[in-house]
């Protein structure tokens, strides 16, 4: 199974009325304050995380935004694909690169519900994403502020702006509830 096909290579098939609805929402996004804009896009990442729960995957969702438009959206698919690299961030980066036809994702912002791990943080640096906005911290494996900070390492040739704790309560709740339910099922 190909990672990108689920979302039509970052460009989704919309019914014409839905596309017009999305365009009208984009126009209003330009006028939003930063905090409201971050919450708006983080809610889309949370929707992706909820899709992961439905597939019995760890509920992490990510979207990548370019010029106030979502160009990639993904959720964890490690179990589905039997792929340890199928994190939401990695899949979204692949989709965004396909959409922009460039591996350099300059001018983009990633919204993800959980602080990225070392693998995903490295991919964020390598893909040249400008800004990372995440929901809740990962005290065990977070590589953007909590355990280590790879995305702002001064020895690297690229550093990201990091905005933590956007809709952190909602993001944390999804994760806690998922693991609580899995413990009860065993």
């Amino acid at each position: 199974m190909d990672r990108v096909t689920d979302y039509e290579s970052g460009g989704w098939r919309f019914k014409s009325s839905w596309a017009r609805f999305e365009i009208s929402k984009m126009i209003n996004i330009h006028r939003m304050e930063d905090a409201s804009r971050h919450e708006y896009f983080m809610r889309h990442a949370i929707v992706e995380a909820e899709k992961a729960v439905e597939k019995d995957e760890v509920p992490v969702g990510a979207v990548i935004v370019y010029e106030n438009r979502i160009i990639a959206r993904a959720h964890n698919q490690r179990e589905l694909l039997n792929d340890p690299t199928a994190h939401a961030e990695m899949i979204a980066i692949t989709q965004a690169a396909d959409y922009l036809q460039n591996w350099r994702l300059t001018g983009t912002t990633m919204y993800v519900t959980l602080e990225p791990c070392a693998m995903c943080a490295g991919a964020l640096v390598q893909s040249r994403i400008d800004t990372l906005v995440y929901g809740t911290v990962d005290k065990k494996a977070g590589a953007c502020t909590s355990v280590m900070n790879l995305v702002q390492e001064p020895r690297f040739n690229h550093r990201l702006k990091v905005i933590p704790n956007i809709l952190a309560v909602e993001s944390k709740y999804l994760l806690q509830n998922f693991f609580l339910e899995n413990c009860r099922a065993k």
Side-chain angles (χ1 to χ4, degrees):
M1 180 179 272
D2 184 12
R3 299 169 154 195
V4 180
T5 55
D6 243 7
Y7 299 100
E8 298 296 317
S9 303
W12 303 275
R13 287 180 276 171
F14 293 116
K15 293 179 181 165
S16 59
S17 61
W18 178 249
R20 283 193 299 273
F21 176 69
E22 281 296 307
I23 290 168
S24 68
K25 284 167 80 174
M26 282 190 319
I27 293 165
N28 293 333
I29 291 169
H30 290 288
R31 293 187 214 121
M32 287 183 183
E33 296 294 324
D34 279 348
S36 297
R37 185 177 308 143
H38 294 321
E39 287 182 9
Y40 172 81
F41 288 119
M42 185 60 76
R43 289 196 191 288
H44 284 274
I46 289 171
V47 168
E48 288 300 313
E50 289 167 346
K51 289 178 187 177
V53 171
E54 293 169 9
K55 297 175 182 176
D56 206 30
E57 297 274 359
V58 175
V60 177
V63 298
I64 296 180
V65 175
Y66 178 70
E67 295 179 350
N68 288 312
R69 288 185 53 220
I70 295 174
I71 62 167
R73 58 179 73 223
H75 54 273
N76 276 3
Q77 296 182 36
R78 289 175 12 156
E79 300 296 329
L80 176 70
L81 300 175
N82 289 315
D83 180 354
T85 68
H87 289 201
E89 301 95 323
M90 301 294 282
I91 297 169
I93 288 169
T94 301
Q95 290 174 5
D98 186 54
Y99 179 86
L100 294 174
Q101 293 296 290
N102 195 337
W103 65 267
R104 291 178 189 89
L105 303 180
T106 54
T108 64
T109 299
M110 176 178 279
Y111 293 83
V112 62
T113 56
L114 179 66
E115 178 184 1
C117 68
M119 173 183 68
C120 295
L124 289 166
V125 171
Q126 291 299 316
S127 63
R128 311 297 196 266
I129 288 176
D130 288 348
T131 306
L132 167 67
V133 180
Y134 69 83
T136 190
V137 297
D138 184 346
K139 294 178 183 175
K140 293 182 179 180
C144 300
T145 53
S146 14
V147 176
M148 64 184 89
N149 191 346
L150 293 177
V151 297
Q152 295 176 327
E153 171 57 50
R155 293 172 289 185
F156 290 165
N157 63 339
H158 178 74
R159 286 169 288 292
L160 283 77
K161 177 180 178 185
V162 178
I163 302 169
N165 301 315
I166 300 296
L167 299 182
V169 173
E170 293 90 332
S171 299
K172 187 175 183 178
Y173 173 79
L174 275 172
L175 288 158
Q176 286 177 333
N177 195 45
F178 175 80
F179 288 113
L180 185 62
E181 291 299 317
N182 277 352
C183 287
R184 287 183 183 154
K186 290 182 181 179

